[in-house]
Amino acid sequence: MKLLKISLLLAIASLMASACSETQEPAEVELRLIETTDLHAYMLGYDYFQQESTSDYGLAHTAALIHEARAEQPNNFLVDNGDLIQGSALGDWVAGQGAEYVAENMHPIMRALNYLEYDVGNMGNHEFNYGLEFLQATVAGANFPYISANVFSANSPSEAGKVTSGWDNPMYEPYVILSKSMQDQYGNDHEIKVGFIGFLPPQIVRWDQQHLAGKVRVRDMVEAAEYYIPQMQAEGADVIVAIPHSGLRIYDNYPQFAEQASYQLAGVAGIDAILFGHQHQLFPGAEAYDNLPEVDNEAGYVRGVPAVAPGYWGDHLGIIDLRLQNTANGWQVVASNVAVRAVDERKDTELEAMLMAEHEQTVAMLNEPLGEVEALISTLFARIEPSTAVQLINDAQQWFVESLQARGEIRADLPILSAAAPFRNGFQSANDYTIIEAGEFTLGNLVDLYVYPNTLQVVEVTGSQLVEWLEMSALAYQQIDANNPDPQPLFTGYPSFNFDVLSGLEYRFDIAAPARYDSQGELINEEARRVVDVRYQGEPLDLEQRFLVAVNNYRAGGGGGFPGLDGSTIVYSSGEEVRQVIANYAREMTAKNAGVLPLALHRNWELVLPAGAVVEFRGNNSALGVEEAEQIQRLQKHSTDENGYAVYHLRNE
């Protein structure tokens, strides 16, 4: 009887277990993807322009959010999406120590990422700014894999550049598949394999050709995704995450080797989530992504794929939460949530302490005095009228090229011009302007004046090409309606670093005329001319005359899509950073002028408004900014907007 009871109980238990298994929901696990991007060497909450602490950005502050996000969800992967080692003065200080220093001591930025236990790193375009030797020494210190699916080592110079065939010799692993044990809702463990595939802008071969020419080849991002993702699936990746160092743009016809390809990557089969960047925007949230087809800028979806882009300099952290369900076809994403979290006063003091020695040496470097300036050097109104900041850059560049001519390194029979732009002109914030007040001039001011580690190059172009060059600068302005008496917006969203001023020419911008080019340098209106009255030495410009132009490597190599500037016109490539050129120029000029840096502003260009027109633009709202505005005819402050910018009105009445 006892055996019968036991048998009966076992049978009942078996039936109950069977019934439960039939009604039990499929196993599900929660997975969190965490992203930083475009940190640009801003490790601490420190403004190297103003030389003061800030809680608005910096990895030390982002780290507090990383710790919080991990504590909330232990099933996580932490990813950095490139443009990591260049951008702040700290990055420049380390680069100045050279590859050997980094190989022996480990790059402090890599030390910080190892401390935070990143899982994956993707290459950005600015990783290549300091050359391949420095980059390889930097990456060698990482305790995590670096990936990029569309950059390869060239077997020979003839194979270098943008290519459409061959997948051999990847410079980094195209992708990695990482496995982590994760618990489902029942407490059972599952090995989940997450594949990460990275991409970078193919334009690196133009932007950094002084480092990459003949050594590197690149492929289109979408083609790379279509080639590698089936391999990742075949190798058992349960989830595939694309990490494009690329922005979001809709094209009528997608151009091969596009710089912004995140939207197109979202259409590649097999991608479950996208962690993007490069454009220094927030997704979801930035106005730039409003009203785009198949883009949900509130919930964070691109063509149905969850996607996130967390700004720049560590001002936000990107998070994508995925719910995975174990189905007959393997693990599938059944739900997702996207968020960007802003940093605050909280910070990781341990990370801050581990970088303090390098930080202090950076500040000491910045405070090296070079001399004195007699008047304000600024970009406060650098797209309204000629500015002292751009003038100083152009003076230094021209001085350098004149020395090349004197040494016989370039042709001495051609006139020299110089091209430079106002890099800090309010894009990041109402305080994002170069302001160097009269008095001591330091190396730190060069960081404020020239924010990129560009090198100086020389191009040889015709007068006709110079006019087309300036037509691209004119894209900074909206077309103004001469018959509209109401205030009209003056500026487009065209970046100020593409507003080149050509020193040595005189010219005017007629902004009542339509644009001749689009922002990619494509001719859209053959009859349009916004650049008028172009003169050289007081005479109408000879379109056939040839000139030498001092310019940075970004523009000389095709950055910005300027017609005629694609690398083919370069006649001299310098290893000298423009900032170093400016420093050397300042030292020599102050030595010749009793410690004072001479600066004569040449008012060589003019903005022409239609009669009766009033235009409106945002600018710096400091007392200094308002005071400078009062020195410009027909310009006055109108109001202050919600982001702290002054709203100015410029009139032609």
Side-chain angles (χ1 to χ4, degrees):
M1 180 64 70
K2 185 178 291 185
L3 287 174
L4 181 62
K5 287 181 178 180
I6 292 173
S7 298
L8 185 59
L9 288 172
L10 288 173
I12 293 170
S14 177
L15 287 170
M16 290 177 66
S18 176
C20 288
S21 66
E22 290 177 3
T23 59
Q24 188 178 51
E25 294 295 325
E28 292 184 349
V29 299
E30 303 287 338
L31 167 64
R32 171 164 286 184
L33 305 171
I34 307 171
E35 181 197 14
T36 56
T37 191
D38 295 276
L39 289 171
H40 283 288
Y42 280 94
M43 295 293 101
L44 308 182
Y46 194 80
D47 183 339
Y48 287 104
F49 299 127
Q50 303 297 327
Q51 293 199 30
E52 62 186 23
S53 296
T54 177
S55 60
D56 293 338
Y57 51 78
L59 183 62
H61 291 281
T62 327
L65 302 185
I66 291 171
H67 297 316
E68 181 180 69
R70 279 176 158 164
E72 293 168 354
Q73 177 50 267
N75 298 336
N76 63 73
F77 290 90
L78 177 60
V79 173
D80 182 73
N81 191 11
D83 277 11
L84 170 70
I85 63 173
Q86 177 279 329
S88 80
L90 173 67
D92 284 344
W93 180 86
V94 181
Q97 311 312 302
E100 185 176 343
Y101 172 89
V102 171
E104 292 178 358
N105 298 280
M106 186 182 296
H107 199 301
I109 293 175
M110 208 54 64
R111 197 162 70 239
L113 267 61
N114 288 341
Y115 158 75
L116 290 173
E117 298 183 332
Y118 273 75
D119 293 288
V120 183
N122 181 46
M123 285 290 155
N125 51 291
H126 282 291
E127 265 59 67
F128 297 87
N129 288 167
Y130 302 124
L132 291 174
E133 183 183 4
F134 184 85
L135 176 55
Q136 304 300 30
T138 297
V139 171
N143 292 342
F144 50 89
Y146 262 93
I147 58 175
S148 185
N150 67 317
V151 61
F152 307 84
S153 298
N155 293 314
S156 66
S158 62
E159 294 182 1
K162 296 177 181 177
V163 299
T164 56
S165 63
W167 301 99
D168 57 310
N169 296 333
M171 187 170 286
Y172 303 94
E173 291 297 321
Y175 60 85
V176 292
I177 299 176
L178 303 180
S179 180
K180 284 191 178 181
S181 179
M182 302 183 187
Q183 281 195 348
D184 64 19
Q185 70 269 44
Y186 305 115
N188 300 318
D189 292 329
H190 301 272
E191 287 296 316
I192 306 296
K193 295 180 178 180
V194 181
F196 297 91
I197 180 168
F199 309 92
L200 54 69
Q203 286 72 18
I204 61 167
V205 292
R206 290 188 319 188
W207 296 340
D208 278 303
Q209 62 174 318
Q210 76 274 22
H211 299 308
L212 308 182
K215 302 175 183 178
V216 171
R217 57 195 177 90
V218 290
R219 297 205 58 170
D220 178 76
M221 286 184 264
V222 175
E223 287 181 354
E226 292 172 341
Y227 178 78
Y228 284 117
I229 285 174
Q231 295 183 28
M232 299 172 72
Q233 292 171 321
E235 292 176 26
D238 297 307
V239 177
I240 293 178
V241 180
I243 315 172
H245 191 83
S246 181
L248 194 62
R249 183 180 173 191
I250 312 297
Y251 301 90
D252 292 334
N253 294 293
Y254 175 73
Q256 194 174 41
F257 304 113
E259 177 185 351
Q260 318 297 354
S262 297
Y263 176 87
Q264 290 71 29
L265 286 167
V268 176
I271 293 178
D272 295 298
I274 296 176
L275 309 175
F276 71 102
H278 184 54
Q279 289 179 314
H280 291 203
Q281 300 280 4
L282 288 179
F283 184 82
E287 291 182 6
Y289 302 133
D290 284 342
N291 305 314
L292 298 179
E294 299 183 276
V295 174
D296 187 337
N297 196 23
E298 293 184 3
Y301 291 87
V302 179
R303 304 175 82 172
V305 179
V308 74
Y312 61 95
W313 296 3
D315 64 345
H316 288 77
L317 186 69
I319 295 175
I320 298 180
D321 287 318
L322 303 175
R323 189 194 315 157
L324 311 180
Q325 189 177 90
N326 198 359
T327 72
N329 296 318
W331 291 94
Q332 302 289 322
V333 176
V334 295
S336 56
N337 185 69
V338 180
V340 286
R341 297 181 180 179
V343 297
D344 52 35
E345 291 79 7
R346 294 174 296 166
K347 61 182 177 181
D348 185 327
T349 55
E350 186 173 344
L351 185 151
E352 185 178 56
M354 71 167 43
L355 300 178
M356 191 54 63
E358 290 86 358
H359 167 72
E360 289 176 348
Q361 291 184 76
T362 299
V363 173
M365 173 193 74
L366 293 177
N367 290 326
E368 176 192 341
L370 297 175
E372 291 192 355
V373 292
E374 293 182 311
L376 177 73
I377 297 174
S378 84
T379 59
L380 288 168
F381 298 97
R383 292 185 293 175
I384 300 299
E385 64 174 17
S387 76
T388 48
V390 177
Q391 183 73 61
L392 176 55
I393 298 168
N394 274 328
D395 287 351
Q397 291 182 165
Q398 179 149 349
W399 166 83
F400 181 84
V401 178
E402 286 172 350
S403 71
L404 295 178
Q405 282 187 328
R407 295 195 300 267
E409 296 187 43
I410 57 174
R411 291 179 60 174
D413 60 333
L414 294 181
I416 300 170
L417 307 178
S418 183
F423 295 112
R424 299 187 64 210
N425 204 235
F427 174 73
Q428 312 280 25
S429 71
N431 296 315
D432 180 31
Y433 294 84
T434 292
I435 300 175
I436 304 171
E437 297 193 54
E440 188 176 71
F441 179 65
T442 70
L443 198 62
N445 295 133
L446 300 187
V447 179
D448 194 0
L449 179 69
Y450 205 104
V451 300
Y452 300 107
N454 297 136
T455 56
L456 188 62
Q457 298 187 342
V458 183
V459 296
E460 182 180 330
V461 295
T462 65
S464 177
Q465 289 173 305
L466 291 173
V467 175
E468 304 306 310
W469 190 331
L470 290 171
E471 286 287 354
M472 290 296 291
S473 292
L475 291 177
Y477 305 112
Q478 301 276 5
Q479 182 179 2
I480 302 304
D481 183 356
N483 297 314
N484 183 358
D486 298 325
Q488 301 176 60
L490 176 60
F491 294 127
T492 63
Y494 196 59
S496 64
F497 59 73
N498 281 339
F499 183 73
D500 282 357
V501 172
L502 283 173
S503 181
L505 295 182
E506 299 85 43
Y507 51 94
R508 300 194 300 157
F509 291 113
D510 177 8
I511 58 175
R516 181 172 173 81
Y517 293 98
D518 68 12
S519 61
Q520 305 303 305
E522 295 293 328
L523 184 65
I524 57 174
N525 191 333
E526 191 171 359
E527 304 301 319
R529 286 291 180 192
R530 311 185 87 192
V531 179
V532 298
D533 299 335
V534 186
R535 294 177 175 269
Y536 173 65
Q537 294 186 340
E539 298 296 327
L541 179 67
D542 180 351
L543 299 182
E544 300 300 320
Q545 183 174 354
R546 304 195 72 82
F547 295 85
L548 297 176
V549 185
V551 66
N552 66 47
N553 62 289
Y554 172 77
R555 182 73 70 243
F562 282 47
L565 295 173
D566 57 5
S568 63
T569 59
I570 296 172
V571 295
Y572 183 89
S573 293
S574 164
E576 290 278 355
E577 284 192 14
V578 177
R579 278 186 295 217
Q580 189 60 49
V581 169
I582 300 170
N584 293 341
Y585 171 77
R587 290 188 181 100
E588 181 168 313
M589 292 299 106
T590 52
K592 291 179 177 179
N593 292 277
V596 177
L597 178 65
L599 181 61
L601 180 62
H602 303 299
R603 297 189 175 276
N604 64 310
W605 64 270
E606 182 183 3
L607 185 62
V608 180
L609 297 181
V614 180
V615 294
E616 181 177 275
F617 65 94
R618 300 192 309 174
N620 180 267
N621 197 30
S622 67
L624 188 60
V626 175
E627 181 181 337
E628 282 295 297
E630 292 173 352
Q631 307 304 312
I632 301 174
Q633 287 188 340
R634 303 185 305 277
L635 179 66
Q636 62 180 178
K637 179 182 174 181
H638 177 264
S639 59
T640 301
D641 74 6
E642 67 278 6
N643 295 313
Y645 289 89
V647 177
Y648 291 99
H649 282 182
L650 179 65
R651 303 173 181 273
N652 185 15
E653 296 177 336

